[in-house]
Amino acid sequence: MVTAQSYEKLSESKGKIIFIDVRTPKEYEEARIPGAVNIPVFSNSEREIIGTIYKQEGKRNAIKEALKIVGPKVLELYMQFEEYHKGKNRMVVYCARGGMRSSTVTALMKELSLPLVKLEGGYKGYRQYINEKLPLLVKKFQFITLYGKTGSGKTDILKRLKNDGYDILDLEACANNRGSLLGDIGLGGRYSQKYFESLVFESLVNAKNDILITEGESRRIGNIVMPTYLYEALINSRKLYIETSLERRTEIIRKEYLKDGVEQEEIIKSIERLKKYINEKQVQEFINGVKNEDYDNVIKDLMIKYYDKVYSRKGKNYERVFNNDNEDRCVKELTDYIFSEK
């Protein structure tokens, strides 16, 4: 008999749980439970073949094709599951809706003496749980939001606060985008809306206290749109402003955007998007500067001629301004201010 449990029930359990996603690599990349590993029953193309047969020839023939594909993979699948079992992890398997893929794998591995639990409702059931719980969870926190111009070091400050044991919500990390038109340089592929919300949920559910420090963002972060309830929490939060000199901002941006492995072509391609907002002559000057590796001047010009004009302090009331030309001092002043009042 296949044992199935809801995500809510599993989240109450003690001990280490490892979620195993048996969907295709494409489904897994699009969105998944954070921390889940992918052991696909079918490849992307195999699932397409089975789906086509199901539509054209019916369920029975689709099942036959699925068995034909899975048969030679049983040993390989077993060995992969066995590796995770060695760590004495509690293995929970899920597919799209808790249907045939996860049920078959769970039953098969149980017969082969590997104790698996199936996630009730699959990934869809997990998403329903997140959709219900995340808005309620957001309401439990007092948000303190750091604002400042591009390159003012807000993200680095959040990382320092996290390392020092304070609870943060790094929205840019959850979106895999730095929150600007050039914000995905060097970060790899985009995250989906669903995965963003899952990462936000993980940050909140693992917080130890009710004060959560985050960074001010626009409603849209790259391709991600912040849910209304979360955006309103930021709008209504306590707001602090980080002031940083142009020289220091240039240093921060250079360090962040020009990491090893970032190609000039990727930077140029991102700069070309600015043609929607500034004239082509100016964009071409930025591109020429990149080609000549005159990065500091390009960064300064981009901030002065584009980013600083876009960013506005109007309409926001800040409790206090903190200078970030010295990060150690800034972090100490921030924490003393935030937590001395609690």
PDB file of all heavy atoms in Angstrom, residues 238-261:
ATOM      1  N   ARG A 238       8.332  49.821   8.036  1.00  0.00           N
ATOM      2  CA  ARG A 238       9.250  50.858   8.506  1.00  0.00           C
ATOM      3  C   ARG A 238      10.359  50.984   7.460  1.00  0.00           C
ATOM      4  O   ARG A 238      10.919  49.985   7.028  1.00  0.00           O
ATOM      5  CB  ARG A 238       9.841  50.473   9.853  1.00  0.00           C
ATOM      6  CG  ARG A 238       8.840  50.434  10.987  1.00  0.00           C
ATOM      7  CD  ARG A 238       9.484  49.907  12.262  1.00  0.00           C
ATOM      8  NE  ARG A 238      10.634  50.709  12.667  1.00  0.00           N
ATOM      9  CZ  ARG A 238      11.500  50.350  13.612  1.00  0.00           C
ATOM     10  NH1 ARG A 238      11.362  49.172  14.222  1.00  0.00           N
ATOM     11  NH2 ARG A 238      12.503  51.127  13.942  1.00  0.00           N
ATOM     12  N   LYS A 239      10.682  52.211   7.079  1.00  0.00           N
ATOM     13  CA  LYS A 239      11.616  52.427   5.972  1.00  0.00           C
ATOM     14  C   LYS A 239      12.872  53.145   6.453  1.00  0.00           C
ATOM     15  O   LYS A 239      12.788  54.201   7.099  1.00  0.00           O
ATOM     16  CB  LYS A 239      10.948  53.233   4.861  1.00  0.00           C
ATOM     17  CG  LYS A 239       9.704  52.560   4.277  1.00  0.00           C
ATOM     18  CD  LYS A 239       9.011  53.468   3.284  1.00  0.00           C
ATOM     19  CE  LYS A 239       7.742  52.836   2.735  1.00  0.00           C
ATOM     20  NZ  LYS A 239       6.714  52.644   3.777  1.00  0.00           N
ATOM     21  N   LEU A 240      14.028  52.572   6.099  1.00  0.00           N
ATOM     22  CA  LEU A 240      15.322  53.172   6.409  1.00  0.00           C
ATOM     23  C   LEU A 240      16.064  53.413   5.097  1.00  0.00           C
ATOM     24  O   LEU A 240      15.921  52.633   4.151  1.00  0.00           O
ATOM     25  CB  LEU A 240      16.143  52.239   7.315  1.00  0.00           C
ATOM     26  CG  LEU A 240      15.442  51.750   8.588  1.00  0.00           C
ATOM     27  CD1 LEU A 240      16.341  50.789   9.349  1.00  0.00           C
ATOM     28  CD2 LEU A 240      15.045  52.930   9.474  1.00  0.00           C
ATOM     29  N   TYR A 241      16.842  54.481   5.048  1.00  0.00           N
ATOM     30  CA  TYR A 241      17.522  54.839   3.798  1.00  0.00           C
ATOM     31  C   TYR A 241      19.033  54.663   3.942  1.00  0.00           C
ATOM     32  O   TYR A 241      19.628  55.081   4.951  1.00  0.00           O
ATOM     33  CB  TYR A 241      17.211  56.284   3.433  1.00  0.00           C
ATOM     34  CG  TYR A 241      17.636  56.650   2.035  1.00  0.00           C
ATOM     35  CD1 TYR A 241      16.826  56.375   0.941  1.00  0.00           C
ATOM     36  CD2 TYR A 241      18.869  57.272   1.811  1.00  0.00           C
ATOM     37  CE1 TYR A 241      17.218  56.701  -0.348  1.00  0.00           C
ATOM     38  CE2 TYR A 241      19.269  57.603   0.526  1.00  0.00           C
ATOM     39  CZ  TYR A 241      18.443  57.311  -0.549  1.00  0.00           C
ATOM     40  OH  TYR A 241      18.850  57.622  -1.827  1.00  0.00           O
ATOM     41  N   ILE A 242      19.640  54.026   2.933  1.00  0.00           N
ATOM     42  CA  ILE A 242      21.082  53.810   2.908  1.00  0.00           C
ATOM     43  C   ILE A 242      21.705  54.797   1.925  1.00  0.00           C
ATOM     44  O   ILE A 242      21.411  54.764   0.732  1.00  0.00           O
ATOM     45  CB  ILE A 242      21.429  52.361   2.485  1.00  0.00           C
ATOM     46  CG1 ILE A 242      20.682  51.343   3.360  1.00  0.00           C
ATOM     47  CG2 ILE A 242      22.934  52.141   2.540  1.00  0.00           C
ATOM     48  CD1 ILE A 242      20.999  51.408   4.828  1.00  0.00           C
ATOM     49  N   GLU A 243      22.542  55.676   2.444  1.00  0.00           N
ATOM     50  CA  GLU A 243      23.226  56.678   1.620  1.00  0.00           C
ATOM     51  C   GLU A 243      24.664  56.217   1.390  1.00  0.00           C
ATOM     52  O   GLU A 243      25.375  55.873   2.330  1.00  0.00           O
ATOM     53  CB  GLU A 243      23.224  58.025   2.345  1.00  0.00           C
ATOM     54  CG  GLU A 243      23.746  59.185   1.516  1.00  0.00           C
ATOM     55  CD  GLU A 243      22.748  59.638   0.469  1.00  0.00           C
ATOM     56  OE1 GLU A 243      21.686  60.167   0.843  1.00  0.00           O
ATOM     57  OE2 GLU A 243      23.055  59.446  -0.722  1.00  0.00           O
ATOM     58  N   THR A 244      25.082  56.229   0.137  1.00  0.00           N
ATOM     59  CA  THR A 244      26.428  55.756  -0.217  1.00  0.00           C
ATOM     60  C   THR A 244      27.015  56.663  -1.288  1.00  0.00           C
ATOM     61  O   THR A 244      26.311  57.083  -2.206  1.00  0.00           O
ATOM     62  CB  THR A 244      26.374  54.298  -0.752  1.00  0.00           C
ATOM     63  OG1 THR A 244      25.568  53.513   0.115  1.00  0.00           O
ATOM     64  CG2 THR A 244      27.758  53.683  -0.822  1.00  0.00           C
ATOM     65  N   SER A 245      28.311  56.964  -1.174  1.00  0.00           N
ATOM     66  CA  SER A 245      28.959  57.846  -2.133  1.00  0.00           C
ATOM     67  C   SER A 245      29.024  57.203  -3.519  1.00  0.00           C
ATOM     68  O   SER A 245      28.963  55.977  -3.651  1.00  0.00           O
ATOM     69  CB  SER A 245      30.380  58.185  -1.673  1.00  0.00           C
ATOM     70  OG  SER A 245      31.200  57.021  -1.715  1.00  0.00           O
ATOM     71  N   LEU A 246      29.172  58.034  -4.528  1.00  0.00           N
ATOM     72  CA  LEU A 246      29.249  57.538  -5.906  1.00  0.00           C
ATOM     73  C   LEU A 246      30.450  56.615  -6.095  1.00  0.00           C
ATOM     74  O   LEU A 246      30.354  55.582  -6.782  1.00  0.00           O
ATOM     75  CB  LEU A 246      29.324  58.717  -6.883  1.00  0.00           C
ATOM     76  CG  LEU A 246      29.349  58.362  -8.378  1.00  0.00           C
ATOM     77  CD1 LEU A 246      28.077  57.619  -8.785  1.00  0.00           C
ATOM     78  CD2 LEU A 246      29.516  59.626  -9.221  1.00  0.00           C
ATOM     79  N   GLU A 247      31.582  56.967  -5.507  1.00  0.00           N
ATOM     80  CA  GLU A 247      32.787  56.133  -5.635  1.00  0.00           C
ATOM     81  C   GLU A 247      32.571  54.758  -5.027  1.00  0.00           C
ATOM     82  O   GLU A 247      32.956  53.739  -5.598  1.00  0.00           O
ATOM     83  CB  GLU A 247      33.988  56.818  -4.971  1.00  0.00           C
ATOM     84  CG  GLU A 247      34.443  58.085  -5.659  1.00  0.00           C
ATOM     85  CD  GLU A 247      34.864  57.847  -7.110  1.00  0.00           C
ATOM     86  OE1 GLU A 247      35.493  56.806  -7.378  1.00  0.00           O
ATOM     87  OE2 GLU A 247      34.551  58.691  -7.966  1.00  0.00           O
ATOM     88  N   ARG A 248      31.954  54.721  -3.866  1.00  0.00           N
ATOM     89  CA  ARG A 248      31.698  53.443  -3.182  1.00  0.00           C
ATOM     90  C   ARG A 248      30.665  52.625  -3.952  1.00  0.00           C
ATOM     91  O   ARG A 248      30.797  51.410  -4.083  1.00  0.00           O
ATOM     92  CB  ARG A 248      31.196  53.725  -1.771  1.00  0.00           C
ATOM     93  CG  ARG A 248      30.704  52.506  -1.011  1.00  0.00           C
ATOM     94  CD  ARG A 248      31.798  51.862  -0.204  1.00  0.00           C
ATOM     95  NE  ARG A 248      31.228  50.855   0.658  1.00  0.00           N
ATOM     96  CZ  ARG A 248      31.450  49.547   0.544  1.00  0.00           C
ATOM     97  NH1 ARG A 248      32.255  49.083  -0.397  1.00  0.00           N
ATOM     98  NH2 ARG A 248      30.891  48.697   1.384  1.00  0.00           N
ATOM     99  N   ARG A 249      29.653  53.285  -4.498  1.00  0.00           N
ATOM    100  CA  ARG A 249      28.652  52.581  -5.288  1.00  0.00           C
ATOM    101  C   ARG A 249      29.271  51.969  -6.533  1.00  0.00           C
ATOM    102  O   ARG A 249      28.939  50.846  -6.931  1.00  0.00           O
ATOM    103  CB  ARG A 249      27.527  53.548  -5.683  1.00  0.00           C
ATOM    104  CG  ARG A 249      26.641  53.984  -4.523  1.00  0.00           C
ATOM    105  CD  ARG A 249      25.811  55.199  -4.886  1.00  0.00           C
ATOM    106  NE  ARG A 249      24.906  54.901  -5.985  1.00  0.00           N
ATOM    107  CZ  ARG A 249      24.375  55.838  -6.765  1.00  0.00           C
ATOM    108  NH1 ARG A 249      24.685  57.110  -6.605  1.00  0.00           N
ATOM    109  NH2 ARG A 249      23.549  55.487  -7.739  1.00  0.00           N
ATOM    110  N   THR A 250      30.180  52.691  -7.155  1.00  0.00           N
ATOM    111  CA  THR A 250      30.882  52.174  -8.336  1.00  0.00           C
ATOM    112  C   THR A 250      31.669  50.915  -7.979  1.00  0.00           C
ATOM    113  O   THR A 250      31.636  49.917  -8.711  1.00  0.00           O
ATOM    114  CB  THR A 250      31.842  53.241  -8.897  1.00  0.00           C
ATOM    115  OG1 THR A 250      31.090  54.418  -9.226  1.00  0.00           O
ATOM    116  CG2 THR A 250      32.559  52.731 -10.143  1.00  0.00           C
ATOM    117  N   GLU A 251      32.333  50.949  -6.853  1.00  0.00           N
ATOM    118  CA  GLU A 251      33.110  49.795  -6.384  1.00  0.00           C
ATOM    119  C   GLU A 251      32.208  48.586  -6.133  1.00  0.00           C
ATOM    120  O   GLU A 251      32.521  47.456  -6.523  1.00  0.00           O
ATOM    121  CB  GLU A 251      33.846  50.180  -5.098  1.00  0.00           C
ATOM    122  CG  GLU A 251      34.620  49.061  -4.438  1.00  0.00           C
ATOM    123  CD  GLU A 251      35.145  49.458  -3.071  1.00  0.00           C
ATOM    124  OE1 GLU A 251      35.232  50.670  -2.779  1.00  0.00           O
ATOM    125  OE2 GLU A 251      35.453  48.551  -2.274  1.00  0.00           O
ATOM    126  N   ILE A 252      31.058  48.826  -5.505  1.00  0.00           N
ATOM    127  CA  ILE A 252      30.120  47.740  -5.187  1.00  0.00           C
ATOM    128  C   ILE A 252      29.567  47.109  -6.459  1.00  0.00           C
ATOM    129  O   ILE A 252      29.513  45.883  -6.591  1.00  0.00           O
ATOM    130  CB  ILE A 252      28.967  48.273  -4.298  1.00  0.00           C
ATOM    131  CG1 ILE A 252      29.493  48.592  -2.895  1.00  0.00           C
ATOM    132  CG2 ILE A 252      27.827  47.252  -4.215  1.00  0.00           C
ATOM    133  CD1 ILE A 252      28.506  49.360  -2.028  1.00  0.00           C
ATOM    134  N   ILE A 253      29.164  47.937  -7.414  1.00  0.00           N
ATOM    135  CA  ILE A 253      28.590  47.421  -8.663  1.00  0.00           C
ATOM    136  C   ILE A 253      29.645  46.671  -9.473  1.00  0.00           C
ATOM    137  O   ILE A 253      29.360  45.613 -10.046  1.00  0.00           O
ATOM    138  CB  ILE A 253      27.978  48.570  -9.492  1.00  0.00           C
ATOM    139  CG1 ILE A 253      26.706  49.058  -8.793  1.00  0.00           C
ATOM    140  CG2 ILE A 253      27.648  48.110 -10.910  1.00  0.00           C
ATOM    141  CD1 ILE A 253      26.039  50.232  -9.459  1.00  0.00           C
ATOM    142  N   ARG A 254      30.855  47.219  -9.550  1.00  0.00           N
ATOM    143  CA  ARG A 254      31.918  46.529 -10.281  1.00  0.00           C
ATOM    144  C   ARG A 254      32.167  45.140  -9.692  1.00  0.00           C
ATOM    145  O   ARG A 254      32.289  44.147 -10.423  1.00  0.00           O
ATOM    146  CB  ARG A 254      33.211  47.344 -10.235  1.00  0.00           C
ATOM    147  CG  ARG A 254      34.301  46.748 -11.122  1.00  0.00           C
ATOM    148  CD  ARG A 254      35.710  47.283 -10.863  1.00  0.00           C
ATOM    149  NE  ARG A 254      35.764  48.645 -10.411  1.00  0.00           N
ATOM    150  CZ  ARG A 254      36.141  48.986  -9.168  1.00  0.00           C
ATOM    151  NH1 ARG A 254      36.437  48.052  -8.280  1.00  0.00           N
ATOM    152  NH2 ARG A 254      36.217  50.253  -8.830  1.00  0.00           N
ATOM    153  N   LYS A 255      32.230  45.065  -8.399  1.00  0.00           N
ATOM    154  CA  LYS A 255      32.482  43.789  -7.727  1.00  0.00           C
ATOM    155  C   LYS A 255      31.349  42.792  -7.970  1.00  0.00           C
ATOM    156  O   LYS A 255      31.584  41.592  -8.173  1.00  0.00           O
ATOM    157  CB  LYS A 255      32.646  44.032  -6.225  1.00  0.00           C
ATOM    158  CG  LYS A 255      32.908  42.779  -5.413  1.00  0.00           C
ATOM    159  CD  LYS A 255      33.028  43.128  -3.935  1.00  0.00           C
ATOM    160  CE  LYS A 255      33.183  41.870  -3.092  1.00  0.00           C
ATOM    161  NZ  LYS A 255      33.235  42.188  -1.635  1.00  0.00           N
ATOM    162  N   GLU A 256      30.106  43.274  -7.989  1.00  0.00           N
ATOM    163  CA  GLU A 256      28.944  42.401  -8.114  1.00  0.00           C
ATOM    164  C   GLU A 256      28.708  41.945  -9.552  1.00  0.00           C
ATOM    165  O   GLU A 256      28.424  40.781  -9.819  1.00  0.00           O
ATOM    166  CB  GLU A 256      27.698  43.118  -7.588  1.00  0.00           C
ATOM    167  CG  GLU A 256      26.409  42.329  -7.727  1.00  0.00           C
ATOM    168  CD  GLU A 256      26.398  41.023  -6.964  1.00  0.00           C
ATOM    169  OE1 GLU A 256      27.117  40.932  -5.941  1.00  0.00           O
ATOM    170  OE2 GLU A 256      25.696  40.091  -7.407  1.00  0.00           O
ATOM    171  N   TYR A 257      28.836  42.868 -10.497  1.00  0.00           N
ATOM    172  CA  TYR A 257      28.463  42.570 -11.880  1.00  0.00           C
ATOM    173  C   TYR A 257      29.602  41.990 -12.720  1.00  0.00           C
ATOM    174  O   TYR A 257      29.352  41.321 -13.719  1.00  0.00           O
ATOM    175  CB  TYR A 257      27.940  43.834 -12.568  1.00  0.00           C
ATOM    176  CG  TYR A 257      26.518  44.175 -12.221  1.00  0.00           C
ATOM    177  CD1 TYR A 257      26.194  44.732 -10.983  1.00  0.00           C
ATOM    178  CD2 TYR A 257      25.480  43.958 -13.118  1.00  0.00           C
ATOM    179  CE1 TYR A 257      24.894  45.050 -10.659  1.00  0.00           C
ATOM    180  CE2 TYR A 257      24.171  44.271 -12.805  1.00  0.00           C
ATOM    181  CZ  TYR A 257      23.880  44.815 -11.557  1.00  0.00           C
ATOM    182  OH  TYR A 257      22.581  45.123 -11.231  1.00  0.00           O
ATOM    183  N   LEU A 258      30.851  42.251 -12.332  1.00  0.00           N
ATOM    184  CA  LEU A 258      31.985  41.800 -13.135  1.00  0.00           C
ATOM    185  C   LEU A 258      32.699  40.615 -12.496  1.00  0.00           C
ATOM    186  O   LEU A 258      33.919  40.575 -12.381  1.00  0.00           O
ATOM    187  CB  LEU A 258      32.974  42.961 -13.357  1.00  0.00           C
ATOM    188  CG  LEU A 258      32.384  44.186 -14.056  1.00  0.00           C
ATOM    189  CD1 LEU A 258      33.426  45.275 -14.193  1.00  0.00           C
ATOM    190  CD2 LEU A 258      31.821  43.811 -15.422  1.00  0.00           C
ATOM    191  N   LYS A 259      31.903  39.648 -12.087  1.00  0.00           N
ATOM    192  CA  LYS A 259      32.466  38.435 -11.495  1.00  0.00           C
ATOM    193  C   LYS A 259      33.115  37.582 -12.567  1.00  0.00           C
ATOM    194  O   LYS A 259      32.878  37.762 -13.766  1.00  0.00           O
ATOM    195  CB  LYS A 259      31.357  37.628 -10.801  1.00  0.00           C
ATOM    196  CG  LYS A 259      30.749  38.331  -9.594  1.00  0.00           C
ATOM    197  CD  LYS A 259      29.618  37.512  -9.017  1.00  0.00           C
ATOM    198  CE  LYS A 259      29.011  38.180  -7.800  1.00  0.00           C
ATOM    199  NZ  LYS A 259      27.862  37.425  -7.248  1.00  0.00           N
ATOM    200  N   ASP A 260      33.944  36.623 -12.117  1.00  0.00           N
ATOM    201  CA  ASP A 260      34.565  35.697 -13.066  1.00  0.00           C
ATOM    202  C   ASP A 260      33.487  34.964 -13.855  1.00  0.00           C
ATOM    203  O   ASP A 260      32.487  34.519 -13.299  1.00  0.00           O
ATOM    204  CB  ASP A 260      35.434  34.674 -12.313  1.00  0.00           C
ATOM    205  CG  ASP A 260      36.667  35.313 -11.702  1.00  0.00           C
ATOM    206  OD1 ASP A 260      37.026  36.427 -12.138  1.00  0.00           O
ATOM    207  OD2 ASP A 260      37.267  34.708 -10.790  1.00  0.00           O
ATOM    208  N   GLY A 261      33.722  34.842 -15.159  1.00  0.00           N
ATOM    209  CA  GLY A 261      32.796  34.091 -15.997  1.00  0.00           C
ATOM    210  C   GLY A 261      31.746  34.937 -16.685  1.00  0.00           C
ATOM    211  O   GLY A 261      31.027  34.452 -17.561  1.00  0.00           O
TER     212      GLY A 261
END
